[in-house]
Amino acid sequence: MGSLHERFSASGGSFHRVAQSLFFLMSLLCLFTGISSAIALMLGIILAVTLGNPCLEMAQKAISVLLRLSVIGLGFGMSVQQAIDASQNGFLLTVTSIVFTLVLGALTATRMGLTRHAGQLISSGTAICGGSAIAAVAPVIKASPRDISVALGVVFILNSVALIVFPPVGHWLSMTQEQFGLWSAIAIHDTSSVVGASASYGPEALAIATTVKLGRALWIIPLSLLMAVISGGNVRKISIPWFIGLFILAMLANSFIPGVEMFSDDIVEWSKRGLVLTLFLIGSTMTRDLLRSVGFMPMAYGIFLWVAIALSSLGLIMY
């Protein structure tokens, strides 16, 4: 017997209509029913693996826009003092973890059989902010489409695992919200899963994780400059994460402009729903083709770096 995907594919247009209907139905469920981030992600993965994603290109474009809008909206639920406190607590840990991950990655990539560019992309994604870091560094070092695809596949898969695994581990270790917020901001790859995991843990964890993670994302700029110097790349292709500036403006408005509090709760609520939809869309990109494209050694390398940064940062935070 063939796979579910193959049996549906035999019916041609009807398969596409079924898959498309399920895609939009699940999208609406994620946006309006209040399901958790982890469940939304799993729904996306199940759809992608069983039926495929009939709207893959649209989903990939929507992920970037929705994530940025959701993060900006979350700024209306935070105060400047919260951001200052979180930044002070997380700055040294951020710098230490970035340097540690990049150095460890550089020392082990070729030993594990990776190309130089694939190693640079995976270590950059692990050190800073997942897919955003990979997208920023790739044109600077002139990475090949194959290396970019592999790096994104590794980071997206591990990012999805982290969203599901981290909250239970945090509860098992009796971590405070502050501890969990710091840990998730340091050890989870993409901003989407950092916010999703910390939001399920509590409001303080969410505030700390979002602020520290966005501060971490700013390190894309010096990292890209460094990679350009090392690889002889094009400095003009360095991208700046502009949405972080809008997040700061939203936070300032929430802290200092009278009357903003009248609608800030609604903005934050819809931003969280937008994030849940974003995670469903991310899950829906985990197609069979993506999973096959990764390969064993790049995945092993990504797991090695991820476990190293997760355990070392956990030790620093807890002890």
Side-chain angles (χ1 to χ4, degrees):
M1 293 179 65
S3 67
L4 181 60
H5 184 280
E6 291 168 344
R7 293 199 299 273
F8 267 108
S9 295
S11 61
S14 61
F15 156 72
H16 182 79
R17 287 193 295 272
V18 169
Q20 197 171 56
S21 298
L22 282 173
F23 175 83
F24 287 113
L25 176 61
M26 289 181 179
S27 298
L28 292 174
L29 287 173
C30 292
L31 190 59
F32 293 109
T33 63
I35 66 175
S36 70
S37 300
I39 292 176
L41 179 69
M42 290 305 300
L43 285 175
I45 294 173
I46 291 169
L47 176 68
V49 172
T50 57
L51 300 182
N53 187 338
C55 308
L56 183 59
E57 186 177 349
M58 182 184 72
Q60 291 170 334
K61 291 179 180 178
I63 287 168
S64 178
V65 175
L66 270 175
L67 175 60
R68 284 158 175 74
L69 290 176
S70 298
V71 168
I72 293 166
L74 290 175
F76 285 97
M78 301 178 191
S79 68
V80 171
Q81 190 58 51
Q82 280 180 307
I84 292 172
D85 292 342
S87 298
Q88 289 176 339
N89 293 336
F91 179 77
L92 182 59
L93 186 59
T94 294
V95 175
T96 303
S97 64
I98 289 173
V99 173
F100 170 73
T101 305
L102 292 175
V103 171
L104 182 63
L107 292 174
T108 57
T110 54
R111 288 177 172 83
M112 296 185 70
L114 272 73
T115 66
R116 180 166 60 91
H117 285 165
Q120 288 174 333
L121 292 176
I122 294 173
S123 61
S124 297
T126 306
I128 298 182
C129 56
S132 299
I134 291 170
V137 171
V140 174
I141 65 174
K142 301 176 182 177
S144 69
R146 166 67 180 170
D147 286 336
I148 296 171
S149 175
V150 167
L152 287 173
V154 169
V155 164
F156 283 158
I157 292 169
L158 297 181
N159 192 55
S160 301
V161 173
L163 173 64
I164 297 167
V165 169
F166 268 53
V169 171
H171 288 299
W172 179 61
L173 294 174
S174 299
M175 298 179 76
T176 66
Q177 288 198 38
E178 179 183 3
Q179 289 173 330
F180 186 82
L182 280 173
W183 187 44
S184 59
I186 297 298
I188 299 179
H189 302 79
D190 273 338
T191 303
S192 56
S193 283
V194 170
V195 176
S198 58
S200 69
Y201 208 80
E204 184 183 352
L206 174 63
I208 291 171
T210 304
T211 306
V212 173
K213 188 62 177 181
L214 293 182
R216 189 181 184 85
L218 289 173
W219 286 86
I220 286 176
I221 300 170
L223 174 63
S224 298
L225 286 169
L226 176 64
M227 291 296 185
V229 172
I230 293 174
S231 303
N234 190 348
V235 176
R236 294 180 181 179
K237 292 190 175 182
I238 294 175
S239 60
I240 298 174
W242 55 266
F243 72 97
I244 297 176
L246 295 180
F247 168 83
I248 294 171
L249 289 178
M251 192 166 51
L252 289 170
N254 185 57
S255 301
F256 300 116
I257 298 179
V260 171
E261 68 276 2
M262 294 176 62
F263 52 84
S264 59
D265 287 346
D266 290 334
I267 294 176
V268 171
E269 176 60 29
W270 280 103
S271 297
K272 289 180 180 178
R273 293 188 186 186
L275 181 71
V276 172
L277 176 56
T278 301
L279 288 164
F280 165 73
L281 295 176
I282 289 173
S284 74
T285 65
M286 301 285 181
T287 60
R288 291 167 179 256
D289 290 340
L290 174 65
L291 298 176
R292 290 192 196 103
S293 71
V294 172
F296 176 75
M297 289 312 297
M299 180 58 69
Y301 174 73
I303 292 172
F304 169 70
L305 289 183
W306 179 45
V307 171
I309 188 60
L311 292 180
S312 59
S313 59
L314 179 64
L316 290 172
I317 291 167
M318 296 287 288
Y319 306 106

